[in-house]
């Protein structure tokens, strides 16, 4: 396992790699330790925040239930600047009526930002919760809508 760090406008993260595959992106609080800079991922994240585009993604090693993996793949299909409701995402992945379970899978997303769970909102359009904080979700949705 290898741990590296990166900095974004919404805070610092540690990136965790197993066998050179990204497995987690951990949002840090002020007390968490920082590791050597993840130069490759930092460059990608800088592009994400500066020009609102990710042209390439690192290779992932996602670990979760088959349902979680299905939700996370569905999240990566939501285009930038667009949102889907939890219920719409449940229907899109072939499990209508599983809106709450989709919300739970979003909460368990091991690679926030790159697997864009921030693009999932409530049916009424309100943004709902976000593992990295509601203000960060609002910020991400705002920069992606430009």
């Amino acid at each position: 396992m290898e741990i590296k760090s990166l900095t974004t406008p919404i805070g610092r993260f540690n990136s965790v790699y197993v066998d050179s595959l990204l497995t987690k992106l951990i949002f840090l609080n002020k007390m968490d330790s920082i590791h050597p800079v993840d130069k490759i991922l930092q460059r990608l994240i800088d592009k994400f925040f500066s020009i609102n585009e990710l042209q390439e993604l690192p290779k992932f090693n996602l670990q979760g239930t088959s349902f979680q993996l299905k939700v996370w793949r569905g999240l990566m299909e939501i285009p930038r600047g667009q949102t889907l409701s939890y219920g719409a995402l449940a229907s899109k992945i072939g499990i209508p009526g599983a809106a709450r379970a989709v919300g739970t899978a979003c909460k368990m997303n091991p690679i926030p930002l790159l697997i864009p769970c921030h693009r999932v909102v409530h049916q009424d359009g309100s943004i709902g919760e976000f593992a990295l904080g509601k203000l960060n979700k609002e910020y991400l949705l705002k920069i992606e809508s430009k």
Side-chain angles (χ1 to χ4, degrees):
M1 179 170 68
E2 183 178 16
I3 301 174
K4 300 178 183 178
S5 294
L6 61 138
T7 303
T8 76
I10 65 170
R12 295 180 327 187
F13 290 82
N14 276 342
S15 51
V16 180
Y17 293 84
V18 175
D19 298 327
S20 299
L21 300 173
L22 183 62
T23 59
K24 280 188 178 182
L25 199 54
I26 303 167
F27 194 55
L28 301 176
N29 66 43
K30 292 178 181 166
M31 303 304 287
D32 290 324
S33 62
I34 296 183
H35 298 271
V37 174
D38 188 337
K39 293 177 184 174
I40 294 170
L41 190 55
Q42 183 69 61
R43 210 171 27 243
L44 293 173
I45 292 294
D46 289 346
K47 284 183 182 179
F48 173 82
F49 282 100
S50 66
I51 62 172
N52 195 23
E53 186 176 332
L54 275 178
Q55 298 170 339
E56 59 183 287
L57 291 174
K59 293 187 181 192
F60 301 141
N61 177 18
L62 295 176
Q63 307 244 338
T65 66
S66 60
F67 178 78
Q68 288 171 328
L69 293 171
K70 193 177 269 199
V71 170
W72 299 336
R73 282 191 295 273
L75 291 170
M76 292 192 298
E77 293 175 8
I78 303 171
R80 242 174 221 293
Q82 295 183 25
T83 59
L84 271 184
S85 70
Y86 295 96
L89 182 55
S91 293
K92 183 177 178 176
I93 64 169
I95 309 171
R100 284 181 176 236
V102 164
T104 300
C106 287
K107 181 180 178 182
M108 303 304 293
N109 176 3
I111 308 175
L113 299 180
L114 302 180
I115 299 176
C117 53
H118 59 276
R119 295 180 188 157
V120 183
V121 298
H122 288 291
Q123 186 70 36
D124 66 4
S126 61
I127 69 162
E129 297 301 317
F130 184 46
L132 307 181
K134 203 171 197 173
L135 291 176
N136 286 333
K137 184 172 184 172
E138 289 173 350
Y139 176 79
L140 291 169
L141 291 172
K142 182 179 177 180
I143 67 163
E144 287 190 353
S145 67
K146 292 180 181 180

